[in-house]
Amino acid sequence: MPYFDLKFSTTDNELANFAKALALPVRIAIVRIIIANGNSVSKESLYTIPFNHETITKHLAELRRLGIIKAHGLRSSLKYSLDEQLFQQMADGFAMLFDSMRTFEPDLQSC
């Protein structure tokens, strides 16, 4: 069957979109800082990432648009957090994918 004729599951599409959304080091840094601060961090704390403020603001906006992070509070005291339910769902999906790949490991002793 040609590749373009394949129908992908909703789960596969969600995992791919999540991976694409986090596929930039600055976005991983944002997620790490939020996690390190108990899943609640101010924008000022995120400005410790070695990128200019405009770049960080742009990536925060995109992560919010994608539903990966949420903003809480007023503009002057805005806090960011991860969507924990989404992260757990994606972690479970990736774990199942990676676990299924273990069944395809070659038997190196028989080579």
Side-chain angles (χ1 to χ4, degrees):
M1 174 177 1
Y3 177 76
F4 55 84
D5 287 341
L6 292 176
K7 300 290 183 203
F8 298 104
S9 71
T10 300
T11 300
D12 287 350
N13 284 318
E14 289 172 349
L15 289 174
N17 290 331
F18 187 77
K20 284 190 287 189
L22 293 180
L24 297 169
V26 66
R27 292 184 184 179
I28 295 296
I30 289 169
V31 168
R32 284 187 187 279
I33 289 173
I34 293 171
I35 291 168
N37 285 282
N39 200 26
S40 181
V41 69
S42 68
K43 186 183 277 188
E44 291 75 29
S45 295
L46 294 170
Y47 288 151
T48 61
I49 301 169
F51 286 90
N52 67 43
H53 293 193
E54 185 178 304
T55 299
I56 293 168
T57 300
K58 179 183 91 172
H59 288 289
L60 280 172
E62 184 63 11
L63 290 169
R64 282 182 67 189
R65 186 187 73 73
L66 295 168
I68 293 173
I69 63 171
K70 299 177 180 184
H72 309 278
L74 301 173
R75 191 169 195 188
S76 62
S77 61
L78 204 57
K79 297 281 186 176
Y80 294 97
S81 64
L82 300 174
D83 181 335
E84 292 181 54
Q85 182 179 358
L86 175 65
F87 264 76
Q88 188 61 54
Q89 179 184 348
M90 294 297 107
D92 292 345
F94 281 112
M96 286 190 318
L97 173 67
F98 298 143
D99 284 345
S100 69
M101 292 182 72
R102 292 179 192 185
T103 62
F104 295 111
E105 290 180 6
D107 183 6
L108 297 178
Q109 292 178 358
S110 64
C111 294

